[in-house]
Amino acid sequence: MVIEGIDNLFIDIIERAKALDPVNTRNWFDKLTLLHLNGGTLGIGCPDEATVEYLQEHCKSTFTRAAQECTGYLVSVDFKVDHKGQEQPALRESKKRLKLHPDYTFDNFVVGPSNRLAQASCAAVCHSPGITYNPLFLYGNSGLGKTHLLHAVCCETKKNNYKSSIQLLSCEDFVNRFIRAIEQGEISDFHSQFRTVDMLVIDDIQFLQEREQSQEEFFHTFNALYHNGKQIILSADSAPADIPSLEERLISRFNWGLVTRIDPPSYETRVAIVKKKAHLRGLTISDEVAEYIARKVQANIRELEGALTTIYAVSITTNEDITLQSARAALEDQIILGTRAVSITDIIDVVTNHFNVRLSDLQSKKRSQSIALPRQICMYLARKLTRHSLEEVGGHLGGRDHTTVMHACNKITEVQENDAQMKTLLQELTKQINQMQYS
Ligand code: ADP
Ligand code: MG
C-alpha cells in the first residue's frame, strides 16, 4: 500500500482519533510517531511501555477507526515503543514490567497544602531510597492521589537508577499471589520475588485486615527488606493504628519511618488540578469554568476529573464550546449523552437523610446495624443506579474493598426478595434519588 503525503495523513489520523474519543485523549498524542504503514498495519510509535499499555487498553478501537477513515483502507493499528524515542533502551526495558500509568507522574501532580508533605516525602525517597524515610506510609481517603504518587515514585526512581528493581502492586494482588504460591507449592519463588527487590511499593495495604496469614507473610517480607536497607512504601485509607485487626507488630513497623496524611484539597488546589487535567487532555477551559468545577466537587479528585469529563463529553455531543453555562447545565442536569446519570452523592444524600445518619458514620469503621444497613443500601443502590465499579463504590464509603461491596449487594438483594418492606423502601429511595435529578 503506497500512500502519498503519509506524514500529513498520520497527523490527520491523530486528530481524528482525538475527535472520536475526547475523554481518553491526552496532550502527548501529538508526540506519537509513525513507524510504518505496511501489510495493512499502521505501526504507531510510543515513548515507553506505559504509553503502549494505555493506548492498547483505552484507544485501540478509536485509532483503528480513525486510521480506516483517514486512509480509506481496512488497516489495523499496532502500538509499539519507538526505539528511536528519547528514553534509554535499558531504562525502557526495566520500566516495562512495572505497568506504570503514563499520567501518574510528579509533573502531573498538583502540590498544595493538603498533599505537600506527602509529595515531598515521595520525592525525597526517589533520591535516596532506603535511607531518608523507611518505610514511607501514605494515607488518606479515596481519590486523593495516593496511587498517583506511588506510580510517580516508581517512575522517578527508575529514571534515577534504571537498574534498581522495583515491585509495585496492590495489596490485593500481593495477597492473591501469596495464596496462589501456597496452592502451587511455589512459596520460595514468591519469597524471592518480594524479598530481593530494592523497593517494594504496596497500594491499599488496609487490604491485609483480617487476613492473618498474609499479615504474617508480609511481616517477614518487611523485615527482610528493612534489614537490608531496601525501601518500602505503603499506602492505605487510614493511619496504621486505625486499620481494623491489623497486628500490633505491623502497626509498630509502619510507624518506624514517616507516616504522612493526604487531606482533601483546598479550593485553590482543586482549581489547579482541574486546569492540569484539562491541559493533559489538550482541552482549553476558562478560569471561570475551572473555578465552577472546583466549587461543585469538593472531596474527591477522581470526581473532579469525572466532572470535567462530563462537561467535555456534553460539549462534544452538542458541538459547542465549553462555557460556564454549558458546564453548569452539564453538571447540574448530569445529562450525559442523552441519559440522566445518578451520582453516588445523590444516593448518599437520600439514604443518610432517610436513616438520619451522617456520611462520616457510613465512612467510619462502625459496624452497628443502624450504620451498617444504610451503608449496605448505599452500596446496593450505587451499583444499581450508577456505572461505578465495586472499588469506586467502596472508595466512596470509607475505602472499603470490592468484596465488601459485593457482599453488601448480595445481602440487600437477598433481603428484599424475602421482605416486602425492604422492597418498598428501596423503591421509595430510588424514586427520591431519581427525583433529585430534576430538582
Ligand atoms: P487514591 O489512590 O488516593 O484513591 P488516585 O491516586 O487514584 O487516588 O487519584 C485519583 C485521581 O485523582 C487520579 O486520576 C489522580 O491523577 C488524580 N489526582 C489526585 N491528586 C492529584 C493531584 N494532587 N494532582 C493531580 N491529580 C491528582
Ligand atoms: Mg488508590
Side-chain angles (χ1 to χ4, degrees), residues 104 141-148 150 203-204 206 235 302:
Y104 293 177
N141 283 344
S142 178
L144 296 184
K146 301 181 293 296
T147 300
H148 186 137
L150 297 186
D203 204 1
D204 292 319
Q206 75 275 2
S235 83
R302 202 173 285 125

Side-chain angles (χ1 to χ4, degrees), residues 244-294:
S245 28
L246 187 67
E247 288 179 22
E248 204 47 54
R249 57 185 183 166
L250 280 178
I251 297 177
S252 100
R253 272 164 182 74
F254 292 170
N255 282 306
W256 279 354
L258 181 72
V259 176
T260 161
R261 192 176 72 199
I262 307 186
D263 288 314
S266 64
Y267 169 71
E268 290 78 5
T269 309
R270 294 200 302 278
V271 174
I273 291 174
V274 173
K275 288 184 178 170
K276 180 72 106 186
K277 295 288 178 193
H279 175 72
L280 199 61
R281 288 168 163 72
L283 255 179
T284 326
I285 54 167
S286 65
D287 285 354
E288 57 177 6
V289 170
E291 288 161 9
Y292 168 71
I293 300 175

Side-chain angles (χ1 to χ4, degrees), residues 315-345:
S315 95
I316 290 294
T317 36
T318 55
N319 206 10
E320 280 171 11
D321 286 344
I322 299 174
T323 60
L324 183 57
Q325 284 71 21
S326 72
R328 218 178 236 148
L331 282 199
E332 287 181 356
D333 297 347
Q334 291 270 316
I335 300 174
I336 306 173
L337 307 175
T339 55
R340 288 181 183 279
V342 167
S343 76
I344 295 194
T345 319

Side-chain angles (χ1 to χ4, degrees), residues 331-370:
L331 282 199
E332 287 181 356
D333 297 347
Q334 291 270 316
I335 300 174
I336 306 173
L337 307 175
T339 55
R340 288 181 183 279
V342 167
S343 76
I344 295 194
T345 319
D346 295 338
I347 296 172
I348 291 174
D349 280 352
V350 168
V351 176
T352 48
N353 197 16
H354 175 85
F355 286 94
N356 198 17
V357 291
R358 285 174 309 194
L359 170 60
S360 58
D361 288 328
L362 298 190
Q363 289 175 330
S364 73
K365 312 276 175 217
K366 291 181 195 162
R367 292 186 181 179
S368 62
Q369 183 64 6
S370 62

